[in-house]
Amino acid sequence: MSEKTFPVSAEFAAQANINKAQFEEMYARSIDDPEGFWDEQANKYVSWFKPWKKTMDWSFDQEDLHINWFTEAKLNVSYNCIDRHLEKRADQVAIIWEGDSPEDTRKITYRELHEEVSKFANVLKARGVEKGDRVSLYLPMIPEAAIAMLACTRIGAIHSIVFGGFSPEALASRINDSDCRVVITADQSMRGGRRVPLKSNADIALEHCPNVHSCIVVKRGGDPIEWTEDRDVWYHEAVDAASADCEPEQMDSEDPLFILYTSGSTGTPKGVQHTTGGYLVQAAMTHEAVFDYKEGDVYWCTADVGWVTGHTYIVYGPLANGATTVMFEGIPTYPDISRFWEVVDKHNVSIFYTAPTAIRSLMGAGNEPVEKTSRKSLRVLGTVGEPINPEAWEWYYNIVGNGKCPIVDTWWQTETGGHMMTPLPGVNDLKPGSAMQPFFGVNPVLLDDEGNEIEGSPAAGNLAIDRPWPAMIRTVFGDHKRFYETYFSMFKGYYFTGDGARRDEDGHYWITGRVDDVLNVSGHRLGTAEIEAALGLHEKVAEAAVVGYPHDLTGQGIYAYVTLMDGEVGTDELKTELVKLVRAEIGPIAKINLIQWSPGLPKTRSGKIMRRILRKIATNEIDSLGDTSTLADPSVVDDLIEHRENS
Ligand code: ATP
Ligand code: MG
């Protein structure tokens, strides 16, 4: 939609890890000679105890569905993220922890990380955790979360992290689905000055989890908690008593590394299973290439470790590269709305990675809270999670980045394990809202509804991938059939992403949202993301979500939920203005039929708008809202139902 481009500066390109010519040569090789290409990358980014026999071995067929990378090779993730760095960077800070309160900061060097991880690995062993066992983590954003993840990988246990904002029910169902016997939690979590009683949530969950025999509790807030003798253990007491000597287990490249449940914006969460070798190669490589990471950078990804972004881009990618990674416990608006930028200045953050939902909400508060900070350390910005509307992109670029930091708009999924499509900061002239081009080794295709590849540009269709990539999902935990059905049954021979995309005249990709969200108005296919971006151009609009509903004349009508900057209810004149704006931006076919003023939108805990609920409200199917357990604030839904527009 936005035709503006933001050229890469000659200065940035000259110092970049990858420039345009290198990109083109490397990309071509990654597609034409994937085995040769990935062999090299695997040797460059990861240290192996034993080399592989075959680089890749795979089939997307129903009978034989399997994906293997670096077969029979041996490695250990915690060894790669810690031990191998000790010779050169033992005293370098590995993790900068920034607590909820600006007074709480902690810096952990690689040497200290090695000691803490080894000790905690021994604690897990002492509680009976063995290679292949699943361990559930229900933790705030504290260093112990990263330590526990790495400790699991050290002994070959498989972690399953459940976001600390989830309810006891959500926790119990995830513990049981993956049969975890050990749970690691904290007494409280602190977010925005508020305390969330994690341990008592876990207590409620564990009433429904008969197989859990150990609950290890980190002391964070210090409030009194209930205690179950024999089952509950204080983290600090157990670690104090443990030895700091723990040999890393030699894991097979295809041994499971972790299970992570998807955010549930389209249905019941799936236990996405990732394995060891391929995942680590892609995590490390993307972290270095996409963020132009270099020695000396301070890197900050604001995600929670409860999401895949936190796994790959707070912990595994950065630590595999020996980086200094920032881990933030709090929220962007506490103690005030400048917090992100204050943290950037405090720690001299040079690479900053966040989500469109955060950018949009901070943009709503204006420029002053940003402009009063320096941000001079920043050099690369990133976004992930949803399509970013050009309006928010430009604000991020001009105001946050002072017009000098390239933005990498990274498209990927829990299932992909790492970045799949993204500009590279030293390569692309950026187009706001476009994920631009595939990463190395990724061959995206656009399919029509019959599964035929649509050649040429411009084009639009279902976004699929025609071959495996190293960090790809290997199965849905305990349900290989669902794995096939969800990703490979729709279009035979392809991994189907569930997203739609278009390819512009220049061959650049734009994610148009989930295909379930594509509207069909009088036979024209319209992406919800495009209409939402057009609404976002109006200065009074903070956020918008668009869904379709059955319409007698046009097949589908367009129903827009609009949140205004002031959070208030707008006038009828404003509705008319918005309808005109969208019409002018996209064309007469994009005629909005109904607008509902929505002070809040239903979002997942990771901040994504749950359009399936909005669809149900628009079509008045209130009694079949489906799984709402992953909603951040369920009360938003009642308000929307009460004020729905009659379709
Ligand atoms: P579920 O699969 O349970 O419905 P989810 O898809 O929201 O949950 P994630 O794996 O966290 O869970 O999100 C991946 C999805 O997020 C992508 O399929 C895409 O729709 C969206 N997405 C992520 N990054 C981008 C981006 N840069 N641009 C556009 N969309 C994005
Ligand atoms: Mg998904």
Side-chain angles (χ1 to χ4, degrees), residues 54-181:
K54 268 188 97 175
T55 310
M56 60 206 285
D57 162 34
W58 61 284
S59 161
F60 286 174
D61 294 343
Q62 182 167 13
E63 287 70 41
D64 188 29
L65 175 57
H66 71 278
I67 298 124
N68 295 326
W69 281 86
F70 311 115
T71 63
E72 294 178 53
K74 300 279 184 200
L75 76 161
N76 181 281
V77 168
S78 88
Y79 176 86
N80 272 277
C81 290
I82 312 170
D83 304 45
R84 65 168 173 160
H85 303 314
L86 292 180
E87 200 181 322
K88 243 183 89 187
R89 51 182 94 247
D91 295 315
Q92 183 199 309
V93 174
I95 299 175
I96 298 178
W97 178 71
E98 171 77 15
D100 186 47
S101 152
E103 264 109 70
D104 278 344
T105 307
R106 201 179 143 194
K107 293 185 175 167
I108 300 171
T109 63
Y110 275 96
R111 188 198 312 283
E112 290 162 343
L113 191 61
H114 181 253
E115 185 176 327
E116 302 250 343
V117 167
S118 302
K119 283 185 167 183
F120 192 59
N122 281 328
V123 169
L124 291 174
K125 276 190 186 168
R127 297 301 295 193
V129 178
E130 292 177 3
K131 182 172 165 175
D133 289 350
R134 273 82 57 203
V135 173
S136 177
L137 274 59
Y138 182 60
L139 283 165
M141 282 290 288
I142 51 178
E144 288 78 2
I147 292 167
M149 291 164 79
L150 290 161
C152 286
T153 72
R154 197 162 187 89
I155 63 172
I158 304 165
H159 59 70
S160 166
I161 307 190
V162 180
F163 172 56
F166 276 136
S167 65
E169 294 72 31
L171 174 62
S173 74
R174 285 162 179 74
I175 289 174
N176 289 332
D177 186 75
S178 47
D179 192 20
C180 297
R181 309 288 171 96

Side-chain angles (χ1 to χ4, degrees), residues 262-267 270 272 412-415 486-487 495 497-499 514 608:
T262 56
S263 78
S265 51
T266 57
K270 300 167 280 281
V272 171
W412 60 297
Q413 310 178 298
T414 308
E415 296 88 340
T486 311
Y487 306 103
Y495 168 88
T497 65
D499 288 339
R514 295 156 205 283
K608 292 174 200 235

